[in-house]
Amino acid sequence: MTSKAVSFMALVATIGLWSVVGATAPGEESNPAALAAAMKNATASLQGGLRASEAQGTPISAKFEIEDGKLQLSVYTMKGNDFMEVVADPSTGAIAKAEKITEADDLKEATEQKAAMAKARVPLLTATETAVQANAGSRAVSIVPELKSGQATAEVTLLQGTTFKKVTEKLD
């Protein structure tokens, strides 16, 4: 092989390695095994987080997530035109902090969720409880409302053991 070919192959191998490392780095949103493991110690429920967050406004989405290496329960709420992220302790369900949402991507998500909730007649808490009751032995990990063909629905992610399952609940 020529030195150019060897250099090119080394470059391709390096890019491939970066891709693999990037895919397995703590991209917290995309590590279901870590989330399932962390959920084993969580005594708070998504439903409890939805209830607790109501002091900050109407819940428009909720999820357990790993943030900075720690499990947390995050609930987006709306009050008027303001959006808040309410973070609850996954062990106690107590509100740890509430902050106004200012980041562009988070504001975009909250605005889309607000639009879905504007057409909803069923609160997220009720939809979450319905999904959990219909799937015995599961616990809710997240609920995100969305508009599908003008209809308000919510995607509920459930966890049973280490298996995740997504179900759709009607909100209108």
Side-chain angles (χ1 to χ4, degrees):
M1 283 191 184
T2 67
S3 65
K4 283 186 179 182
V6 171
S7 296
F8 178 74
M9 295 297 284
L11 177 62
V12 169
T14 301
I15 291 170
L17 179 61
W18 285 340
S19 298
V20 169
V21 169
T24 59
E28 302 165 348
E29 293 288 323
S30 62
N31 192 340
L35 182 59
M39 290 294 297
K40 288 180 182 178
N41 298 322
T43 54
S45 68
L46 195 74
Q47 298 91 311
L50 287 165
R51 278 187 212 95
S53 71
E54 289 174 347
Q56 298 294 326
T58 303
I60 58 173
S61 69
K63 66 180 174 180
F64 281 97
E65 64 184 345
I66 297 176
E67 184 77 29
D68 298 327
K70 294 181 182 176
L71 182 67
Q72 71 178 23
L73 174 52
S74 171
V75 182
Y76 280 12
T77 65
M78 65 178 181
K79 190 183 285 187
N81 289 322
D82 290 331
F83 299 110
M84 299 288 290
E85 179 181 17
V86 180
V87 177
D89 182 307
S91 298
T92 65
I95 301 300
K97 67 180 178 178
E99 299 176 337
K100 187 172 181 176
I101 297 173
T102 57
E103 185 183 305
D105 290 342
D106 293 339
L107 279 172
K108 181 177 183 248
E109 286 178 21
T111 301
E112 291 169 359
Q113 294 164 3
K114 178 182 178 180
M117 292 307 295
K119 292 197 171 215
R121 286 183 271 158
V122 176
L124 293 182
L125 178 58
T126 303
T128 303
E129 290 172 338
T130 300
V132 170
Q133 288 171 0
N135 293 275
S138 294
R139 72 184 292 183
V141 176
S142 71
I143 184 165
V144 179
E146 57 190 359
L147 288 174
K148 287 186 179 176
S149 303
Q151 302 294 309
T153 63
E155 182 177 85
V156 183
T157 303
L158 302 168
L159 174 63
Q160 185 170 23
T162 58
T163 304
F164 289 92
K165 175 182 179 180
K166 293 187 182 213
V167 298
T168 301
E169 292 293 326
K170 291 183 180 183
L171 296 178
D172 55 4

